Amino acid sequence: MQVAFGGAGDSSVSENPFTPKASFVRYWNKQLNREIPKTHFLLSKVSPLNAVDSASFSKLAAQNHLDSRLPSFCSSAKLFCFPDLSPSLEKHSKDVNFAVYLDKNFTNYGSGDGGGADTFKKYSENDNVIADTFRRYSRESTGRKEQFSNYATSSNVVDQSFNTYAAAATGGSGEFNNYNDEVNVPNLKFTSYSDESNGHGQTFTRYTEDANSGQQSFSNYGKNGNGVPNEFSSYGNGSNVMGSDFSGYGKTANGAADTFTSYAFNTNNPVNGFKSYGEGGNAAVDSFSSYRDQANVGESNFQSYAKGANGAEVDFSNYGQSFNEGTEKFTGYGQGANGQSVGFKIYGKNTTFKDYAKQGVTFKRYNETLNSAETAQVKAAGSRANKWVEPGKFFREKMLKQGTVMPMPDIKDKMPARSFLPRNILSKIPFSSSKIGEMKKIFHAADNSSLETIMLDALKECERAPSPGETKRCVGSAEDMLDFATSVLGRNVDARTTESVDGSKNNIKIGAVRKINGGKVTKSVSCHQSLYPYLLYYCHSVPKVRVYEADILDPTTEKKINHGVAICHLDTSSWSSGHGAFLALGSGPGRIEVCHWIFENDMTWTIADS
């Protein structure tokens, strides 16, 4: 979905005194008793609405009718909104090659077809906010093959729903190859997928690899199926905070064969749930090989897995050998099953087995009984900063000296572009978990949709009680952000951020360095984006810091390529021992200071220069 930057190029925005931008300029000048520079980066985040649209949308918001003009509002105000997909009545031939398709609703597609193949190649690639629905797709088909290749790769906020996909299908296969690769916030739902099908196998290869903070749901997947082989290879590898839920997967299926190879390998904090997986199944064969291997913390929950199954065979090999241990819970695993065989070979630690079948289970070299070579391998994985603590993300204060060559992490903003709302509109839109129904109506968020999840996540973070000594507030207008910063720091303040992303993921050389507030220990207000339809920042006070500005040079040519802002946290005593900074720098809470760059579109408020 392409979001129109409505009003951004309108010259009246800077000339008309009634625009949101002109209003904020006056507010800044009055509150801080000095003029805001015309090139200040904060002005680029103020609403681009013109005066007429601002007044019109404000009136609609007051009347609770903003939802009636949502597409226009999203476009004009530069917001992040999902498209409204209407039911599809399109007719297609038996064999279709979908290329360069986007935001489509495939309803009753291929239902009852015999043979043929559908190919989705480079579908919805490199786009922002992808919403596709596959409902009753290939239902009751025979020998039909579906192939999703390079589907929605390198996209942002992908929402796909596969509802009753290939249900009662006979033969055929589905391939998901490079599906949602390098995607930010993928939300994927497979509901009643291949339910009651016969021999319709699916292969997920490099599925959501290198993705960031998403959720996959497999509900009643392969339920009552007959001979349905499913293969998950390199599923979720290298992803950050990925959640997967397998509920009722393969339940009462006959002869199912599922393989999880390198599932969630080298991920950061993956959360996976297998509930009633294979329950009541007959002669199922499941293999978990290198599952969550070399991951950082995370949690897996196997509840009623293979419960009451007949002749199930499950193999866990190199399971959970993470360098920073997570937690696994096996509740009612294999309970009441007949003739099952379960093997744990070289299994990780921090594991709970409750109501577990007492027969047919083999534990081989469980917990900390690794041999010396295997122990060294796991320690080596932990001793190096894994990909979630990329080089340069955290560093010591002594590195901020002219002439230092150091790696710079990827500081590029991964969230969709949005703008603040004008205060006169924001004040009329609810933002509270008690008003979630009204909020969903305004932004057209359906029940159990990705947008509903996004909104609930933002509310959860914003309504969380502050940590001891913390002052926090979520702000959706530039005026609200300024008010919070001045309430903490006083009126002699300014906002700072790194100038650009130049130098990211490369070695850089530190040029001239300037200490903010003379290098004195001070406090600051840091503001980080939250994913939400309008630009929303989570701002909080940060005590005992030093803030620096530094020219960033190309290490070869020594030409200036960027101007960076770095903050050094001097008191880390309350930080978790598993914090990425300590994994990268090799110390612990309260023992060292930790510095980092201010990433693109994040900012820190500090004392202004005199």
Side-chain angles (χ1 to χ4, degrees):
M1 171 185 174
Q2 297 296 329
V3 179
F5 290 5
D10 189 347
S11 62
S12 65
V13 170
S14 59
E15 298 171 1
N16 190 315
F18 301 105
T19 63
K21 181 175 288 187
S23 176
F24 175 68
V25 168
R26 289 194 301 273
Y27 193 78
W28 171 290
N29 295 347
K30 179 181 179 181
Q31 295 298 312
L32 303 186
N33 198 28
R34 69 175 190 276
E35 291 189 1
I36 185 172
K38 293 182 179 180
T39 58
H40 199 290
F41 75 92
L42 196 57
L43 292 176
S44 67
K45 304 183 184 307
V46 177
S47 175
L49 286 172
N50 60 43
V52 173
D53 284 345
S54 180
S56 175
F57 290 127
S58 178
K59 183 178 180 179
L60 286 170
Q63 297 171 342
N64 295 321
H65 292 320
L66 197 54
D67 59 301
S68 66
R69 294 275 308 280
L70 182 64
S72 175
F73 179 50
C74 290
S75 176
S76 299
K78 191 182 173 184
L79 307 184
F80 154 66
C81 302
F82 279 76
D84 293 327
L85 292 183
S86 58
S88 173
L89 298 177
E90 294 182 80
K91 299 294 183 180
H92 299 281
S93 61
K94 183 172 64 175
D95 301 321
V96 181
N97 185 351
F98 292 93
V100 200
Y101 259 66
L102 181 65
D103 294 335
K104 288 292 182 181
N105 185 343
F106 293 86
T107 303
N108 289 322
Y109 184 90
S111 294
D113 280 350
D118 303 321
T119 302
F120 291 79
K121 189 175 183 181
K122 296 187 176 180
Y123 185 97
S124 296
E125 192 172 24
N126 296 315
D127 198 67
N128 185 39
V129 193
I130 294 172
D132 300 316
T133 299
F134 294 81
R135 186 176 180 85
R136 296 194 294 270
Y137 187 99
S138 280
R139 190 176 186 178
E140 299 178 354
S141 63
T142 302
R144 192 165 192 81
K145 179 179 180 181
E146 303 90 30
Q147 183 175 6
F148 293 81
S149 183
N150 292 324
Y151 187 99
T153 59
S154 304
S155 298
N156 188 33
V157 192
V158 174
D159 181 65
Q160 271 105 33
S161 176
F162 292 82
N163 228 6
T164 60
Y165 183 102
T170 299
S173 64
E175 292 183 17
F176 292 81
N177 193 26
N178 286 336
Y179 186 95
N180 280 181
D181 198 25
E182 297 183 359
V183 165
N184 185 35
V185 197
N187 291 281
L188 312 166
K189 299 174 185 176
F190 291 82
T191 305
S192 299
Y193 188 102
S194 286
D195 204 10
E196 299 182 359
S197 63
N198 181 29
H200 189 91
Q202 282 84 39
T203 302
F204 293 82
T205 305
R206 297 191 62 194
Y207 184 95
T208 60
E209 190 169 21
D210 295 321
N212 181 39
S213 187
Q215 177 73 31
Q216 283 87 43
S217 174
F218 293 81
S219 182
N220 291 330
Y221 186 105
K223 185 178 179 181
N224 299 324
N226 180 33
V228 181
N230 300 300
E231 181 178 350
F232 292 82
S233 181
S234 299
Y235 182 102
N237 281 11
S239 294
N240 182 33
V241 198
M242 184 66 67
S244 300
D245 181 20
F246 292 81
S247 181
Y249 186 104
K251 192 172 181 179
T252 65
N254 181 34
D258 303 320
T259 302
F260 293 81
T261 304
S262 296
Y263 186 99
F265 181 85
N266 194 29
T267 51
N268 182 39
N269 198 22
V271 179
N272 304 313
F274 294 82
K275 187 176 182 180
S276 299
Y277 185 105
E279 186 175 353
N282 181 35
V285 180
D286 302 320
S287 173
F288 292 81
S289 180
S290 298
Y291 181 98
R292 243 183 61 202
D293 201 16
Q294 298 183 25
N296 181 32
V297 294
E299 178 179 340
S300 297
N301 187 354
F302 292 81
Q303 186 174 350
S304 299
Y305 186 101
K307 186 176 180 180
N310 180 31
E313 180 179 339
V314 186
D315 180 25
F316 290 86
S317 181
N318 287 327
Y319 182 98
Q321 290 297 306
S322 49
F323 71 83
N324 194 20
E325 295 297 338
T327 303
E328 284 79 44
K329 298 177 182 178
F330 290 81
T331 305
Y333 188 99
Q335 193 175 31
N338 180 32
Q340 83 280 3
S341 170
V342 183
F344 291 85
K345 185 179 181 182
I346 315 180
Y347 190 85
K349 49 188 176 180
N350 289 355
T351 306
T352 300
F353 293 89
K354 187 176 181 181
D355 297 327
Y356 193 87
K358 305 302 181 185
Q359 296 181 345
V361 182
T362 302
F363 294 89
K364 185 177 181 182
R365 298 228 302 273
Y366 171 77
N367 223 337
E368 302 198 43
T369 58
L370 308 182
N371 63 35
S372 57
E374 291 159 346
T375 301
Q377 182 180 12
V378 173
K379 287 184 176 180
S383 63
R384 69 177 187 270
N386 86 334
K387 68 181 297 177
W388 303 116
V389 193
E390 62 179 313
K393 185 172 184 178
F394 301 104
F395 51 89
R396 302 294 300 274
E397 193 172 18
K398 64 184 179 181
M399 301 292 286
L400 288 168
K401 292 183 179 179
Q402 189 167 355
T404 299
V405 176
M406 59 189 292
M408 189 175 193
D410 182 6
I411 66 169
K412 182 176 175 59
D413 179 18
K414 302 298 193 303
M415 290 197 180
R418 294 152 296 152
S419 290
F420 279 130
L421 284 180
R423 181 177 264 180
N424 67 320
I425 296 178
L426 183 70
S427 62
K428 300 176 178 69
I429 297 178
F431 187 81
S432 168
S433 55
S434 65
K435 302 285 188 179
I436 185 62
E438 297 176 40
M439 296 160 59
K440 288 167 59 179
K441 177 177 178 289
I442 291 171
F443 293 106
H444 296 187
D447 292 344
N448 301 314
S449 65
S450 296
L451 184 53
E452 180 191 45
T453 300
I454 288 169
M455 297 172 78
L456 289 172
D457 286 347
L459 284 169
K460 181 180 178 181
E461 179 66 13
C462 292
E463 294 179 344
R464 173 187 61 81
S467 303
E470 180 190 38
T471 304
K472 62 186 278 285
R473 183 181 177 186
C474 286
V475 298
S477 75
E479 291 88 350
D480 287 349
M481 179 180 280
L482 179 59
D483 285 350
F484 179 74
T486 56
S487 71
V488 175
L489 302 171
R491 296 185 182 275
N492 184 31
V493 296
D494 200 1
R496 293 179 168 85
T497 191
T498 300
E499 191 174 274
S500 71
V501 298
D502 292 343
S504 288
K505 301 191 288 188
N506 289 304
N507 283 334
I508 59 170
K509 189 171 186 178
I510 303 298
V513 177
R514 185 165 70 90
K515 300 177 181 179
I516 304 303
N517 197 24
K520 297 177 183 177
V521 177
T522 184
K523 61 181 176 180
S524 69
V525 168
S526 289
C527 295
H528 315 280
Q529 288 187 84
S530 294
L531 185 59
Y532 202 73
Y534 52 78
L535 186 58
L536 182 71
Y537 276 90
Y538 172 89
C539 296
H540 63 115
S541 60
V542 184
K544 296 184 181 179
V545 298
R546 275 194 284 264
V547 180
Y548 294 83
E549 288 186 353
D551 288 338
I552 296 174
L553 315 179
D554 182 297
T556 302
T557 65
E558 298 195 346
K559 178 182 177 181
K560 179 182 175 181
I561 58 175
N562 203 348
H563 187 72
V565 176
I567 184 170
C568 294
H569 301 266
L570 306 181
D571 182 7
T572 60
S573 58
S574 64
W575 293 19
S576 166
S577 60
H579 194 286
F582 305 130
L583 294 176
L585 303 176
S587 188
R591 296 173 58 188
I592 59 171
E593 85 293 339
V594 173
C595 305
H596 62 85
W597 297 106
I598 301 298
F599 282 25
E600 181 185 27
N601 288 326
D602 286 346
M603 65 188 80
T604 184
W605 291 78
T606 61
I607 301 298
D609 297 328
S610 57

